[in-house]
Amino acid sequence: QWEPTDDFLRTDFNTDFAKIDAALGEKADAAALAEKCGAVTGTYTGDGAGSRTISLGFAPRAVILREAEAAAPCFAVAGGPDVVEDYNGEVMMELTDQGFTVHYKVFYIGANQNISSPYTNRGEKTYTYLAIK
């Protein structure tokens, strides 16, 4: 901070304003890039329901979904495989015009309970997603 008795140079102010402009410009560029990219991340806790819709407010081009305990993520891509199926052909995740819908399937082989995978809505499990506009 300068005192009223201090001498100052116009170049001091110009240098400081240039630093401020550069810092604000970097933030604006980062915000513009995020908007242009259109990536949205989020989490939800599975509720074990047979079907559940995650609303994003837009039709995603792609969604990558992963349960914290699962070995690998699953993904759906608009124009490509826009549904994710388990090995029995059951739809486990599908893209919608406002987000994506996940499904939870339990089936029995003999007396053994099995869960269709990839896991998308197991009760009390945390899921993380990345949706691209």
Side-chain angles (χ1 to χ4, degrees), residues 29-40:
D29 290 345
L33 181 60
E35 179 62 28
K36 187 181 271 189
C37 177
V40 175

Side-chain angles (χ1 to χ4, degrees), residues 17-89:
F17 283 127
K19 290 177 185 176
I20 292 169
D21 288 344
L24 291 174
E26 288 173 12
K27 290 185 184 242
D29 290 345
L33 181 60
E35 179 62 28
K36 187 181 271 189
C37 177
V40 175
T41 62
T43 62
Y44 66 90
T45 301
D47 61 10
S51 181
R52 177 179 184 171
T53 298
I54 307 302
S55 179
L56 301 172
F58 62 89
R61 293 178 186 249
V63 172
I64 301 170
L65 177 68
R66 185 173 188 277
E67 179 189 308
E69 297 175 12
C74 64
F75 62 94
V77 179
D82 60 352
V83 297
V84 176
E85 298 177 348
D86 72 355
Y87 54 87
N88 289 322

Side-chain angles (χ1 to χ4, degrees), residues 93-115:
M93 180 174 71
E94 57 191 317
L95 302 182
T96 68
D97 62 348
Q98 290 296 307
F100 61 100
T101 300
V102 294
H103 302 279
Y104 179 71
K105 309 278 187 201
V106 176
F107 62 95
Y108 291 87
I109 298 176
N112 296 323
Q113 179 181 352
N114 295 283
I115 302 169

